[in-house]
PDB file of all heavy atoms in Angstrom:
ATOM      1  N   LEU A  79     -21.234  51.396  21.823  1.00 91.00           N
ATOM      2  CA  LEU A  79     -20.561  52.447  21.065  1.00 91.00           C
ATOM      3  C   LEU A  79     -21.520  53.574  20.719  1.00 91.00           C
ATOM      4  O   LEU A  79     -21.171  54.772  20.787  1.00 91.00           O
ATOM      5  CB  LEU A  79     -19.946  51.859  19.792  1.00 91.00           C
ATOM      6  CG  LEU A  79     -18.767  50.890  19.992  1.00 91.00           C
ATOM      7  CD1 LEU A  79     -18.286  50.360  18.656  1.00 91.00           C
ATOM      8  CD2 LEU A  79     -17.626  51.563  20.736  1.00 91.00           C
ATOM      9  N   HIS A 162      -0.341  37.663  23.940  1.00 93.00           N
ATOM     10  CA  HIS A 162      -0.583  37.968  22.522  1.00 93.00           C
ATOM     11  C   HIS A 162      -2.013  37.578  22.143  1.00 93.00           C
ATOM     12  O   HIS A 162      -2.634  36.710  22.758  1.00 93.00           O
ATOM     13  CB  HIS A 162       0.445  37.251  21.626  1.00 93.00           C
ATOM     14  CG  HIS A 162       0.191  35.781  21.440  1.00 93.00           C
ATOM     15  ND1 HIS A 162      -0.769  35.289  20.578  1.00 93.00           N
ATOM     16  CD2 HIS A 162       0.791  34.688  21.988  1.00 93.00           C
ATOM     17  CE1 HIS A 162      -0.745  33.987  20.586  1.00 93.00           C
ATOM     18  NE2 HIS A 162       0.183  33.578  21.450  1.00 93.00           N
ATOM     19  N   LEU A 182       6.848  33.614  19.173  1.00 87.00           N
ATOM     20  CA  LEU A 182       8.237  34.023  19.355  1.00 87.00           C
ATOM     21  C   LEU A 182       8.565  35.193  18.449  1.00 87.00           C
ATOM     22  O   LEU A 182       8.175  35.229  17.280  1.00 87.00           O
ATOM     23  CB  LEU A 182       9.176  32.851  19.036  1.00 87.00           C
ATOM     24  CG  LEU A 182       9.036  31.593  19.905  1.00 87.00           C
ATOM     25  CD1 LEU A 182       9.965  30.504  19.400  1.00 87.00           C
ATOM     26  CD2 LEU A 182       9.349  31.916  21.356  1.00 87.00           C
ATOM     27  N   VAL A 194      -2.377  33.378  29.724  1.00 95.00           N
ATOM     28  CA  VAL A 194      -1.946  34.262  30.813  1.00 95.00           C
ATOM     29  C   VAL A 194      -3.121  34.547  31.746  1.00 95.00           C
ATOM     30  O   VAL A 194      -2.970  34.587  32.980  1.00 95.00           O
ATOM     31  CB  VAL A 194      -1.363  35.566  30.244  1.00 95.00           C
ATOM     32  CG1 VAL A 194      -0.991  36.527  31.379  1.00 95.00           C
ATOM     33  CG2 VAL A 194      -0.139  35.282  29.392  1.00 95.00           C
ATOM     34  N   GLY A 280     -19.392  27.373  12.294  1.00 84.00           N
ATOM     35  CA  GLY A 280     -19.873  28.202  11.211  1.00 84.00           C
ATOM     36  C   GLY A 280     -20.262  29.593  11.638  1.00 84.00           C
ATOM     37  O   GLY A 280     -20.873  30.334  10.855  1.00 84.00           O
ATOM     38  N   TYR A 396      -6.119 -32.924 -18.308  1.00 66.00           N
ATOM     39  CA  TYR A 396      -6.304 -34.316 -17.894  1.00 66.00           C
ATOM     40  C   TYR A 396      -7.207 -35.078 -18.852  1.00 66.00           C
ATOM     41  O   TYR A 396      -7.068 -36.287 -19.004  1.00 66.00           O
ATOM     42  CB  TYR A 396      -6.847 -34.367 -16.465  1.00 66.00           C
ATOM     43  CG  TYR A 396      -5.763 -34.108 -15.445  1.00 66.00           C
ATOM     44  CD1 TYR A 396      -5.768 -32.961 -14.664  1.00 66.00           C
ATOM     45  CD2 TYR A 396      -4.704 -35.009 -15.278  1.00 66.00           C
ATOM     46  CE1 TYR A 396      -4.761 -32.710 -13.753  1.00 66.00           C
ATOM     47  CE2 TYR A 396      -3.700 -34.772 -14.371  1.00 66.00           C
ATOM     48  CZ  TYR A 396      -3.728 -33.614 -13.605  1.00 66.00           C
ATOM     49  OH  TYR A 396      -2.724 -33.376 -12.713  1.00 66.00           O
ATOM     50  N   SER A 417      -0.576 -61.126 -28.267  1.00 77.00           N
ATOM     51  CA  SER A 417       0.573 -62.033 -28.316  1.00 77.00           C
ATOM     52  C   SER A 417       0.557 -63.010 -27.158  1.00 77.00           C
ATOM     53  O   SER A 417       0.868 -64.202 -27.305  1.00 77.00           O
ATOM     54  CB  SER A 417       1.871 -61.227 -28.294  1.00 77.00           C
ATOM     55  OG  SER A 417       1.947 -60.364 -29.412  1.00 77.00           O
ATOM     56  N   GLU A 577       3.212 -41.426 -38.315  1.00 54.00           N
ATOM     57  CA  GLU A 577       4.193 -41.692 -37.260  1.00 54.00           C
ATOM     58  C   GLU A 577       3.509 -41.606 -35.899  1.00 54.00           C
ATOM     59  O   GLU A 577       2.680 -40.738 -35.652  1.00 54.00           O
ATOM     60  CB  GLU A 577       5.334 -40.682 -37.330  1.00 54.00           C
ATOM     61  CG  GLU A 577       6.220 -40.827 -38.546  1.00 54.00           C
ATOM     62  CD  GLU A 577       7.088 -42.076 -38.489  1.00 54.00           C
ATOM     63  OE1 GLU A 577       7.214 -42.662 -37.386  1.00 54.00           O
ATOM     64  OE2 GLU A 577       7.628 -42.467 -39.543  1.00 54.00           O
ATOM     65  N   GLN A 589      10.009 -27.048 -21.615  1.00 82.00           N
ATOM     66  CA  GLN A 589      10.060 -26.840 -20.168  1.00 82.00           C
ATOM     67  C   GLN A 589      11.480 -26.998 -19.639  1.00 82.00           C
ATOM     68  O   GLN A 589      11.934 -26.218 -18.780  1.00 82.00           O
ATOM     69  CB  GLN A 589       9.121 -27.834 -19.471  1.00 82.00           C
ATOM     70  CG  GLN A 589       8.965 -27.620 -17.988  1.00 82.00           C
ATOM     71  CD  GLN A 589       8.214 -26.340 -17.662  1.00 82.00           C
ATOM     72  OE1 GLN A 589       7.427 -25.875 -18.475  1.00 82.00           O
ATOM     73  NE2 GLN A 589       8.467 -25.778 -16.515  1.00 82.00           N
TER      74      GLN A 589
END
Side-chain angles (χ1 to χ4, degrees):
L79 292 178
H162 76 78
L182 299 176
V194 177
Y396 282 113
S417 299
E577 291 289 345
Q589 187 69 26

